[in-house]
Amino acid sequence: MTADRRIRIFEGVDRMTLLLYLLIVLVGWISITSASYDEAAADIFAFSHFYMKQMVWIGLAGIAALVVLLLDEHYYHMFAYPAYIGGLFLLLAALVFGKEVNGAKAWFEFGSFRVQPVEFAKIATALAVARVMSAYSFSISRPENLTKVGMVICVPLLIIILQNDTGSGIVLGSFLFVLYREGLSKWLCIPILLVAALFIVSFLLTPMTLLVSSILICTLCEAMMNGQWRSRIIFLAALALASILLWVITAWIAPGSLSLYGSLLTVTLLSLVGIAVYAFRAQLNNIFLLLLLFVGTMIFLPTTDYIFQSILKDHQRDRILSFLGIVNDPRGIDYNVNQSKIAIGSGGFFGKGFLEGTQIKHGFVPERHTDFIFCTVGEEWGFLGTVVVLSLLCLLILRLMRMGERQEEPFGRIYCYCVASILLFHVLVNVGMTIGLMPVMGIPLPFMSYGGSSLIAFTILLFIAIRLDASTKQFALNNRF
C-alpha cells in the first residue's frame, strides 16, 4: 500500500463520529477511574487498578481502529461469511472449553486476561446479515429470504443461550430494526415484539388471557395489512369468543380431562382452520406469515413455565420476578438496582463532583465500573452529566444512521444500521436496568464500561462502519472530478 493510498484512506473519515467516539471513551475512562480509585493505594499508577488496565485497552482499541481503517473496504464484504463461521466456531469453543463466570460459560481465560467471544460474534453476525441482505436478488418480502436472514441471526443466538449468556444473546434481536428499515412490514414486526412481551407477562396473566391476546394481536395486524376492517375484525372476534366458549364447555363437561397444553392446542387448531378458510376466500397476502407466527406463539407460550423453571438459572428467574414486582428482596436480588437508583438520585442536578460520590466511593453499588457504570456518572455529575452522556451516545447512533443513508451500496447501509441497532439496544437496556426500568441482564454500556473485549469489539464494530462510509465519500469525490 503506497503512502498516497494511506493518506487518501483518512480523507473520508467522518470527523464528527470520530470525535463522538473519543469523547465517550474519555468519559468512560474518567468514570472507571472514579469508580475504582483507591486513596489508600501506595501506587496509583499500578497496573492492578482498573483504570490503568482500561488505559491499555483503549490503546489496543486505537490500534484495532487504525488497522480497520487501513484495510480495503472490499475485504469486509469478501470475508463476511468466513468471519461469521469463525465467530460461530469461537462461540462453540467457549461453550465447550470456556471458563464459567457468573453462571455463563462464555469466556476464554489467558492468565489474568479474559476474552468474551460473543462481543466479536456480534461483529461477524452484523457483517453476515449485511452480506446476505445485500445480495442482488434479495427481497425481504420473500419468505425464503426472510428465513435465510433469520437463520443467520438465530444460530449464534441459540449458541449464546446455551452458554447461559441470555442477555448478550438478546442483543441480536435488535436486528429486527434493520429488517424493518429494509422493508419488512411493520405489521409483522409489531406482533414479533408483542410475542416477546407476552413471554414476560405470561408470568402475570392467565393462559386464557394470553390466548385471547394472541388472537387479537394477529387479528389487528392482519386487518391493518389488508384492509376490510369491519368484516375481518367481526369474524375473528367471533372466532375468539367461540374459542373461549369451547374452552368453558370442555371444562364444564369433562373437568380435568384436557390438560392446559391440550386445550390450547385444540383451540389453536380450530382457530387456524377458521382463519385459513377465511384467508383463502379473501386472498390475503401476508396471512401465512401471521399464521406461522400465531402457531409459534401457541406452541411457545405453554412451554414458558418449563423454560422458566428448568432452563433459566436461579438468578435469572429472580431478576424477572423482581422486575415484574412479584418478588421484593431489597437485600438480595434487588440490592444492585436499589443502590444504583439511590446513587443516581443522590447526584441531584449538578452531581457531587469527581471522586466525591459516597455510594460509589464506599462500594455500596456492586459492578460500579462495569455494568453499572452509568450510576457513577449519575452520582458524580448529576442529571446534567447523564444528559450529556446520553446525548453523546444518541448523537453517535444518529450519526451511524445518517452514514447508512448516504451509502451507495446496500452492504454499507445495512451494516451501518446493524451497528446503530446494537448500540441502541445496549444503551436502552444498560441505562434502563440502572434506573429500574429494565431487568438486569449484564449488558455493558458501549465504550464506557470496563472491559477489553467489549471496548475493542465495539471499536471494531464502529470503525468498520466509518471505513465503509469513508470509501463512499472518496468514490463520490473522485466521480465529481
Side-chain angles (χ1 to χ4, degrees), residues 78-93 117 120-121 123-129 131 152 155-156 159:
M78 185 185 306
F79 294 105
Y81 290 152
Y84 179 74
I85 295 173
L88 294 181
F89 176 79
L90 289 176
L91 291 177
L92 290 172
F120 300 95
I123 305 173
T125 305
L127 288 171
V129 169
R131 176 70 185 272
V152 170
V155 170
I159 300 175

Side-chain angles (χ1 to χ4, degrees), residues 292-320:
L292 181 62
L293 178 65
F294 187 72
V295 171
T297 303
M298 290 298 98
I299 294 175
F300 178 69
L301 284 177
T303 65
T304 55
D305 185 66
Y306 171 77
I307 294 173
F308 185 76
Q309 297 294 339
S310 303
I311 297 180
L312 296 181
K313 301 296 182 181
D314 291 340
H315 69 280
Q316 293 172 329
R317 291 197 294 267
D318 292 339
R319 287 173 179 175
I320 293 176

Side-chain angles (χ1 to χ4, degrees), residues 208-241:
M208 177 58 69
T209 305
L210 292 172
L211 173 64
V212 175
S213 300
S214 301
I215 293 175
L216 291 180
I217 288 170
C218 291
T219 300
L220 184 62
C221 295
E222 193 277 332
M224 289 182 176
M225 280 191 298
N226 299 285
Q228 302 180 17
W229 280 71
R230 292 184 178 180
S231 60
R232 200 151 295 146
I233 289 180
I234 292 173
F235 171 80
L236 292 176
L239 178 63
L241 292 175

Side-chain angles (χ1 to χ4, degrees), residues 137-353:
S137 59
F138 183 89
S139 175
I140 196 70
S141 60
R142 296 178 181 174
E144 62 272 17
N145 290 336
L146 188 58
T147 303
K148 188 184 301 183
V149 177
M151 290 295 295
V152 170
I153 298 172
C154 289
V155 170
L157 172 61
L158 292 176
I159 300 175
I160 295 170
I161 291 176
L162 290 176
Q163 293 177 345
N164 199 29
D165 191 11
T166 309
S168 298
I170 294 176
V171 174
L172 298 182
S174 64
F175 288 137
L176 180 64
F177 299 108
V178 181
L179 301 181
Y180 173 70
R181 164 59 184 83
E182 293 303 309
L184 183 64
S185 173
K186 61 183 177 180
W187 302 116
L188 291 178
C189 295
I190 290 176
I192 292 174
L193 294 175
L194 291 176
V195 167
L198 281 177
F199 173 74
I200 299 296
V201 301
S202 63
F203 305 112
L204 299 174
L205 303 179
T206 63
M208 177 58 69
T209 305
L210 292 172
L211 173 64
V212 175
S213 300
S214 301
I215 293 175
L216 291 180
I217 288 170
C218 291
T219 300
L220 184 62
C221 295
E222 193 277 332
M224 289 182 176
M225 280 191 298
N226 299 285
Q228 302 180 17
W229 280 71
R230 292 184 178 180
S231 60
R232 200 151 295 146
I233 289 180
I234 292 173
F235 171 80
L236 292 176
L239 178 63
L241 292 175
S243 301
I244 296 173
L245 182 61
L246 174 64
W247 193 320
V248 172
I249 293 175
T250 303
W252 178 63
I253 294 177
S257 61
L258 291 177
S259 65
L260 172 63
Y261 186 83
S263 301
L264 279 172
L265 187 59
T266 302
V267 174
T268 300
L269 291 175
L270 291 174
S271 303
L272 289 178
V273 171
I275 296 174
V277 171
Y278 188 79
F280 179 77
R281 293 180 59 186
Q283 296 181 354
L284 306 180
N285 295 325
N286 299 300
I287 189 64
F288 293 107
L289 288 175
L290 283 172
L291 286 175
L292 181 62
L293 178 65
F294 187 72
V295 171
T297 303
M298 290 298 98
I299 294 175
F300 178 69
L301 284 177
T303 65
T304 55
D305 185 66
Y306 171 77
I307 294 173
F308 185 76
Q309 297 294 339
S310 303
I311 297 180
L312 296 181
K313 301 296 182 181
D314 291 340
H315 69 280
Q316 293 172 329
R317 291 197 294 267
D318 292 339
R319 287 173 179 175
I320 293 176
L321 295 176
S322 173
F323 172 70
L324 295 174
I326 300 175
V327 172
N328 185 20
D329 186 12
R331 294 184 178 273
I333 196 65
D334 295 328
Y335 180 79
N336 287 15
V337 176
N338 289 340
Q339 293 300 320
S340 175
K341 290 192 289 187
I342 292 172
I344 294 174
S346 66
F349 189 82
F350 293 105
K352 299 176 180 179

Side-chain angles (χ1 to χ4, degrees), residues 2-36:
T2 64
D4 180 65
R5 171 62 175 166
R6 293 192 184 96
I7 293 173
R8 291 183 61 190
I9 285 177
F10 291 98
E11 284 181 355
V13 171
D14 190 286
R15 292 181 176 84
M16 179 58 70
T17 304
L18 183 60
L19 176 61
L20 290 171
Y21 165 79
L22 293 175
L23 287 175
I24 295 171
V25 170
L26 176 61
V27 172
W29 183 80
I30 293 173
S31 300
I32 292 170
T33 301
S34 179
S36 60

